Amino acid sequence: MATQRTSLRTLTSLFAKRSVCFCSPPNRLSAIHPYSRGYATDTEPKESIDAAIASDAPSHLNPSPEDYSRFIFQDRCRSTIYAGDGGNGCVSFQREKYIPEGPPNGGDGGSGGSVYIQAVEGLTSLHKLARSGVIRATRGKNGQGKSKGGKRGEDVLIQVPVGTVVREVDRYDPVAEEQRRRALERKMKKEKAKSGEGEDEDERQDLDFQPIRHDRWALYPGANPSDFLTTVFPSNPPRRQNIAALEPRAPIYLDLSQHMDKPVLLAAGGAGGLGNPHWVSRENPRPKFASRGEGGKRLELEFELKLLADVGLVGKPNAGKSTLLRSLTNSRTRIGNWAFTTLEPNIGTVVIDNDKGRPLVELKNKPPRKRFTIADIPGLIKGAHLDRGLGLGFLRHIERAGILAFVVDLSAGDPVQELQELWNELGKYEELRDMGGTSNESGDDPTWDLPMRSLPELQGDSDKAISQPKDRLPELDFPANHTKPWFVVATKCDLPKTRERFKALQEYLCGVEQGKHEHPSGYAKGWKEGISAIPVSAINAENVQQIPKLVMQLL
Ligand SMILES: Nc1nc2c(ncn2[C@@H]2O[C@H](COP(=O)(O)OP(=O)(O)OP(=O)(O)O)[C@@H](O)[C@H]2O)c(=O)[nH]1
Ligand SMILES: [Mg+2]
């Protein structure tokens, strides 16, 4: 154990200079014992190393199959959200001895529950939301006698990962519908009145005829349906709760790119109905009716993760990405010595704060970060941009990572060629995507659309947009891969013949940075401000701690 710790310290200090300009390989590498948690000498036979691997007891980095856990991942989902309906108002009269006909005292209905949304750190996938499918806030309770108001419906809070974009697919707003219907009715009445000025009294009365609105009025218990015909109902315009003014402007587009301390209102519940005391008038001092609660809105929303993780591990199959993720995080992703062990992205969190108040890595001029996330993305093969291998699906995931960490296997051949092939695939994918015209033509505003402080009916022409259901929303806009910060993680450097290859890789990256070589993406304006290569032996967790330090500088 002591030898192990010493060799680890030696290796870390050797590779602390991980800059590309560090062109001379350290001589002390060969001093480290082959495969005893250090670099191998080139003379060491591969068979003996394989045997050493096989004989190793299972550990977090060399796990047995029981140590695998499936990371359920979902980066896009659709949910239908129902705000709660308002409870009905109550028809009731005071009943007391010596007061034969007491005044009306029906309570108001409770307002329906509202739906809120909050982006929180620590969540990495939308799978829970995808599983629930339909989200409902509860209905407000009906009012009761003795002026007892109904209980409000319960609110629902939707928590999503930071980096989620919420877009509206469709909506049904009963209050807006009712307002539209009334406006139409008024217009028709006006037109009819204009055209039939000379008509007789009967026809004019026909125009004043109100259809019976069972959905807007509640009669006293035990009333006959025919009472609807004999009752004269006053005007009952649709109402909203006051908090509806805090709803986001329609159609909804929220880019939740920051952690939110407080939730934001998505859909306010329907207003509760009014009890019979509200309908007292000179003509009708004892109204035997109360208004029903307003219906809650229905929203069909699409949630999409725009930011999958802070860092995305991009590499060929079997390069050692999952082992690297395990060595940096508590992830229990599957590891196997064959291609395509990983079939879905796995996200791990690197905690850089020991929760003792001070981040372990201090950042200049930046707010301290406590943690960052790393995504282990399935392996990329030649022709991935043509949907080969696991195809375009996970090239999409790479687009959603903030920093790209190219994982090259030093034992597998020329790392420079491997890196170029990886970049080539990303470049071709970008070309194809741009040709498809999906990136910049979406017309989406990528900024966070703060909720407008106005009621929906004051939001102008938004209704036109609402009434056109969009089955397929346009693709989101992402920054181009070549503009993102990137670095290279050269893995398996405990295996033979890796030292020379690492040296060649460093020289190549040095050349790219100095402009001697073309940027591997093929774009002249590709990011190349201090490209680093970090040699690691992920299986031995050696030198991997350089990665968080570098990431904190790049974030
Ligand atoms: N010697 C050595 N072997 C390693 C190292 N890192 C990973 N391996 C081995 O390489 C093999 C593949 O590792 P994975 O982590 O599953 O590779 P991957 O890139 O996730 O592969 P896919 O999921 O198929 O894309 C496993 O047998 C690991 O034990 C390392 O640093 N040194
Ligand atoms: Mg893997």
Side-chain angles (χ1 to χ4, degrees):
M1 190 63 187
T3 348
Q4 197 177 319
R5 235 182 264 143
T6 327
S7 67
L8 178 68
R9 219 175 296 134
T10 330
L11 193 77
T12 315
S13 59
L14 275 175
F15 286 88
K17 289 185 196 173
R18 36 130 201 86
S19 150
V20 272
C21 294
F22 171 63
C23 292
S24 59
N27 298 330
R28 285 163 64 197
L29 281 184
S30 49
I32 300 164
H33 190 270
Y35 212 74
S36 65
R37 309 286 178 248
Y39 267 70
T41 52
D42 298 350
T43 48
E44 187 71 12
K46 195 167 185 308
E47 291 72 36
S48 69
I49 288 165
D50 285 342
I53 296 175
S55 66
D56 261 3
S59 66
H60 182 61
L61 300 177
N62 184 20
S64 61
E66 302 92 68
D67 191 21
Y68 300 143
S69 85
R70 204 179 143 228
F71 180 81
I72 303 164
F73 178 76
Q74 191 98 31
D75 64 347
R76 194 186 270 180
C77 72
R78 251 181 208 196
S79 296
T80 310
I81 283 155
Y82 291 92
D85 297 342
N88 299 337
C90 173
V91 184
S92 152
F93 296 93
Q94 192 181 356
R95 283 164 64 102
E96 260 177 54
K97 212 174 177 186
Y98 310 120
I99 306 179
E101 292 202 335
N105 69 352
D108 297 344
S111 46
S114 306
V115 183
Y116 292 84
I117 190 166
Q118 185 181 22
V120 286
E121 272 173 6
L123 295 181
T124 45
S125 161
L126 294 169
H127 66 273
K128 279 191 190 162
L129 194 60
R131 210 168 7 177
S132 50
V134 176
I135 295 164
R136 283 175 200 275
T138 54
R139 180 181 182 276
K141 291 269 185 308
N142 294 344
Q144 289 176 1
K146 295 188 184 168
S147 301
K148 268 194 221 159
K151 205 178 157 205
R152 321 193 28 202
E154 270 169 36
D155 296 339
V156 174
L157 173 63
I158 303 172
Q159 287 192 321
V160 291
V162 172
T164 304
V165 175
V166 185
R167 290 186 289 173
E168 181 179 318
V169 181
D170 195 14
R171 75 157 61 200
Y172 173 70
D173 182 355
V175 173
E177 281 297 309
E178 177 64 18
Q179 279 164 344
R180 209 170 301 142
R181 200 191 62 80
R182 290 167 74 94
L184 201 74
E185 243 175 42
R186 270 197 304 272
K187 200 173 149 197
M188 277 168 56
K189 244 187 216 174
K190 245 188 211 169
E191 276 171 15
K192 271 192 185 171
K194 245 189 211 169
S195 60
E197 261 169 87
E199 282 171 22
D200 60 16
E201 193 64 21
D202 283 356
E203 277 184 16
R204 220 168 288 158
Q205 272 175 3
D206 276 357
L207 287 176
D208 293 337
F209 172 76
Q210 290 282 325
I212 302 163
R213 296 300 307 276
H214 296 265
D215 57 332
R216 298 207 55 78
W217 294 105
L219 291 186
Y220 62 96
N224 290 323
S226 60
D227 290 345
F228 268 106
L229 297 170
T230 52
T231 313
V232 179
F233 293 105
S235 164
N236 177 15
R239 294 174 310 116
R240 288 185 195 277
Q241 284 196 67
N242 292 345
I243 55 161
L246 299 175
E247 282 180 354
R249 175 186 276 271
I252 294 174
Y253 183 102
L254 297 176
D255 189 350
L256 309 175
S257 55
Q258 278 157 17
H259 174 82
M260 290 154 67
D261 291 331
K262 285 182 192 163
V264 164
L265 180 71
L266 212 50
L274 300 175
N276 62 341
H278 289 271
W279 307 106
V280 173
S281 63
R282 198 175 296 166
E283 295 80 44
N284 191 354
R286 286 171 60 76
K288 290 182 178 169
F289 54 83
S291 65
R292 286 185 185 274
E294 303 291 347
K297 323 191 148 69
R298 174 179 59 78
L299 292 175
E300 199 180 333
L301 298 177
E302 185 165 283
F303 297 82
E304 192 169 354
L305 269 187
K306 196 172 179 182
L307 185 71
L308 178 69
D310 296 310
V311 182
L313 299 180
V314 184
K316 291 200 165 178
N318 222 22
K321 300 176 292 300
S322 304
T323 316
L324 188 64
L325 183 77
R326 268 189 179 247
S327 70
L328 287 166
T329 67
N330 281 336
S331 160
R332 288 171 62 212
T333 174
R334 191 187 177 94
I335 290 177
N337 203 2
W338 60 85
F340 300 119
T341 318
T342 307
L343 298 172
E344 277 186 356
N346 284 286
I347 296 163
T349 305
V350 181
V351 180
I352 44 173
D353 182 359
N354 53 6
D355 271 328
K356 288 183 182 152
R358 194 151 38 111
L360 294 180
V361 181
E362 300 278 350
L363 293 174
K364 277 183 200 161
N365 309 327
K366 281 183 193 170
R369 291 264 310 241
K370 276 190 162 191
R371 52 176 69 103
F372 67 88
T373 48
I374 298 193
D376 165 26
I377 299 166
L380 200 71
I381 59 162
K382 224 174 175 178
H385 71 282
L386 300 173
D387 220 3
R388 291 209 184 109
L390 294 186
L392 293 169
F394 63 91
L395 276 162
R396 248 187 62 218
H397 299 316
I398 295 173
E399 269 190 314
R400 286 161 165 75
I403 298 171
L404 302 181
F406 288 88
V407 182
V408 293
D409 177 356
L410 286 183
S411 71
D414 183 5
V416 175
Q417 197 186 338
E418 197 170 323
L419 179 68
Q420 283 170 337
E421 279 174 14
L422 291 171
W423 264 118
N424 194 19
E425 286 308 320
L426 296 194
K428 282 185 180 156
Y429 170 70
E430 252 171 30
E431 264 172 41
L432 272 183
R433 197 197 55 183
D434 290 350
M435 265 161 47
T438 51
S439 62
N440 291 323
E441 290 170 17
S442 61
D444 286 329
D445 178 6
T447 53
W448 183 7
D449 192 1
L450 278 168
M452 298 299 290
R453 302 287 185 263
S454 69
L455 290 169
E457 42 272 48
L458 304 179
Q459 290 179 2
D461 284 345
S462 57
D463 279 0
K464 279 179 204 158
I466 305 164
S467 57
Q468 297 164 357
K470 293 159 269 177
D471 261 356
R472 233 185 95 80
L473 292 172
E475 288 291 320
L476 291 175
D477 202 3
F478 294 100
N481 285 328
H482 67 271
T483 60
K484 291 179 187 171
W486 60 282
F487 63 97
V488 182
V489 183
T491 56
K492 306 197 187 177
C493 57
D494 51 289
L495 294 181
K497 294 183 190 163
T498 52
R499 202 170 359 137
E500 291 74 28
R501 290 177 187 157
F502 181 68
K503 197 181 160 197
L505 176 69
Q506 273 193 318
E507 276 167 11
Y508 169 72
L509 293 179
C510 228
V512 172
E513 198 179 309
Q514 289 163 4
K516 280 186 218 159
H517 301 300
E518 195 193 359
H519 193 276
S521 65
Y523 289 88
K525 286 188 179 167
W527 187 92
K528 51 181 176 185
E529 297 147 33
I531 314 160
S532 305
I534 304 176
V536 298
S537 169
I539 203 162
N540 300 322
E542 282 177 358
N543 213 30
V544 289
Q545 282 319 314
Q546 295 297 329
I547 298 172
K549 287 183 190 166
L550 176 61
V551 170
M552 292 311 293
Q553 289 165 18
L554 296 176
L555 273 175

